[in-house]
């Protein structure tokens, strides 16, 4: 396998990781509210909820600071080393533009990330996480 191919493959793996991160944040919030309605206990697990909150918090802080996501930076560096095409701007902005032909200024994405972060915080109020110990009775709070 040529060295360039290894870089492009690594960039594709970083892209996959990025997509999984975005899916965790977006689908995670949907599952939290669905879990509340369907009485799924696992959506109240503290570590899942803390990881979910931390994930969107990182995105919101990066957006407010105007910092590009490290996964985007790494992916682009690997693509460049592999001689593959790169893109400018954020991961979400690029793929929204590519998939939906949607263009928006950076502040619009910052506002969207912030609003989504506020929804995640709201989920902590509406569907509070619980801490369960092994052997402890698990009750669903509504």
């Amino acid at each position: 396998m040529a060295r360039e191919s290894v870089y492009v493959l690594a960039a594709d793996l970083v892209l996959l990781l990025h997509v999984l991160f975005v899916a965790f944040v977006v689908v995670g919030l949907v599952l939290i509210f669905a879990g509340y309605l369907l009485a799924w206990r696992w959506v109240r697990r503290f570590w899942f909820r803390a990881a979910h909150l931390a994930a969107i918090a990182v995105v919101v802080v990066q957006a407010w600071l105007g910092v590009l996501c490290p996964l985007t930076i790494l992916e682009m560096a690997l693509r460049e080393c592999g001689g593959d095409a790169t893109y400018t701007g954020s991961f979400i902005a690029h793929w929204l533009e590519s998939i939906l032909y949607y263009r928006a200024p950076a502040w619009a994405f910052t506002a969207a990330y912030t609003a989504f972060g506020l929804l995640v915080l709201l989920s902590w109020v509406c569907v509070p996480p619980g801490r369960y110990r092994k052997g402890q009775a698990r009750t669903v709070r509504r």
Side-chain angles (χ1 to χ4, degrees):
M1 183 180 273
R3 187 176 199 179
E4 291 80 15
S5 298
V6 172
Y7 283 116
V8 172
L9 176 62
D12 289 343
L13 290 174
V14 172
L15 174 63
L16 176 62
L17 178 64
H18 211 163
V19 168
L20 292 173
F21 179 86
V22 172
F24 172 68
V25 171
V26 174
V27 175
L29 184 61
V30 172
L31 290 174
I32 289 166
F33 285 115
Y36 171 74
L37 295 173
L38 299 170
W40 296 339
R41 289 182 281 180
W42 67 268
V43 299
R44 292 182 185 267
R45 294 224 168 107
F46 179 79
W47 291 110
F48 165 69
R49 298 295 295 280
H52 187 253
L53 180 61
I56 190 60
V58 167
V59 171
V60 171
V61 168
Q62 286 174 351
W64 276 94
L65 295 176
V67 175
L68 208 53
C69 176
L71 291 173
T72 299
I73 294 168
L74 177 59
E75 179 195 349
M76 292 304 96
L78 290 168
R79 291 201 186 285
E80 190 173 329
C81 288
D84 202 6
T86 62
Y87 53 84
T88 59
S90 76
F91 170 81
I92 299 292
H94 170 75
W95 287 106
L96 279 177
E97 182 179 327
S98 297
I99 295 169
L100 304 174
Y101 304 104
Y102 182 76
R103 296 190 80 122
W107 67 263
F109 291 100
T110 300
Y113 300 152
T114 302
F116 198 88
L118 291 172
L119 281 174
V120 171
L121 284 175
L122 179 65
S123 78
W124 276 67
V125 174
C126 296
V127 189
R131 293 185 184 184
Y132 304 110
R133 291 187 202 105
K134 198 172 189 175
Q136 179 183 13
R138 297 181 180 191
T139 59
V140 176
R141 295 175 286 178
R142 280 202 177 190

